[in-house]
Amino acid sequence: TSMVKYIFSSFLSNRLFVESLCGCCDDCGICCFGCVAPAFLFGENIEKIDGTNCVVAYCAYSLLCDTCTCCFYHFYKRGVLRHKYGLRKDQCNDCAVTFFCCQCAICQEARFLRKRSMSFSRIEIDLNLINLVEQQQVMPKHTAIVSQPSSTF
């Protein structure tokens, strides 16, 4: 399935973010979460992107926000996301977005990651169903012969 994911990801990605920066109405739950608790959503995103523990990412982001330098950490992790999913590098845009519209960028990344994970989970479900059907077709149908006990009275 990893090969299928790789092939599918190349078809899904048009080398740009599919999600709009201002597309909060596309997923109001993510939008509300990103506006109320952006550090938590950032932590969840980073865990999905590179496996960093979400609590560690949350704490780092929160501490850096106190010194107004969280945009640098976010800028770096956005670059990691772009690299992982084969998105075109756009450092000037990412710099501006993470500095001036950090909450919108965090929500955009969350919507992007959710859409990708939903697409991959659908593929895995479809592959599991195909494998199940193939297994049922390959397995010979056995007819059980049940002998009845003879009664000797």
Side-chain angles (χ1 to χ4, degrees), residues 10-74:
S10 64
F11 287 121
L12 265 187
S13 172
N14 64 357
R15 315 261 322 141
L16 298 170
F17 268 106
V18 178
E19 301 299 318
S20 167
L21 183 64
C22 300
C24 283
C25 292
D26 296 343
D27 191 326
C28 292
I30 286 177
C31 181
C32 290
F33 189 38
C35 289
V36 174
F40 283 114
L41 186 56
F42 179 80
E44 284 185 2
N45 290 349
I46 298 309
E47 188 170 54
K48 293 173 187 173
I49 293 168
D50 65 6
T52 301
N53 185 302
C54 67
V55 175
V56 171
Y58 160 75
C59 290
Y61 190 84
S62 295
L63 290 173
L64 291 171
C65 279
D66 290 342
T67 60
C68 297
T69 56
C70 60
C71 60
F72 298 115
Y73 184 49
H74 187 186

Side-chain angles (χ1 to χ4, degrees), residues 82-98:
R82 284 185 180 276
H83 178 74
K84 179 176 181 176
Y85 293 108
L87 301 173
R88 184 180 346 138
K89 290 182 182 180
D90 192 354
Q91 294 175 336
C92 290
N93 184 40
D94 286 350
C95 183
V97 165
T98 57

Side-chain angles (χ1 to χ4, degrees), residues 52-134:
T52 301
N53 185 302
C54 67
V55 175
V56 171
Y58 160 75
C59 290
Y61 190 84
S62 295
L63 290 173
L64 291 171
C65 279
D66 290 342
T67 60
C68 297
T69 56
C70 60
C71 60
F72 298 115
Y73 184 49
H74 187 186
F75 172 77
Y76 170 73
K77 290 298 186 174
R78 191 167 169 97
V80 172
L81 176 128
R82 284 185 180 276
H83 178 74
K84 179 176 181 176
Y85 293 108
L87 301 173
R88 184 180 346 138
K89 290 182 182 180
D90 192 354
Q91 294 175 336
C92 290
N93 184 40
D94 286 350
C95 183
V97 165
T98 57
F99 187 77
F100 294 110
C101 308
C102 63
Q103 291 173 321
C104 294
I106 292 170
C107 291
Q108 178 190 36
E109 295 157 8
R111 289 190 313 272
F112 175 80
L113 292 167
R114 179 177 284 176
K115 185 176 275 188
R116 289 190 66 87
S117 69
M118 287 171 50
S119 298
F120 286 138
S121 64
R122 276 190 241 136
I123 285 176
E124 288 176 0
I125 290 169
D126 291 343
L127 287 175
N128 289 337
L129 288 173
I130 290 169
N131 289 337
L132 182 63
V133 169
E134 287 175 351

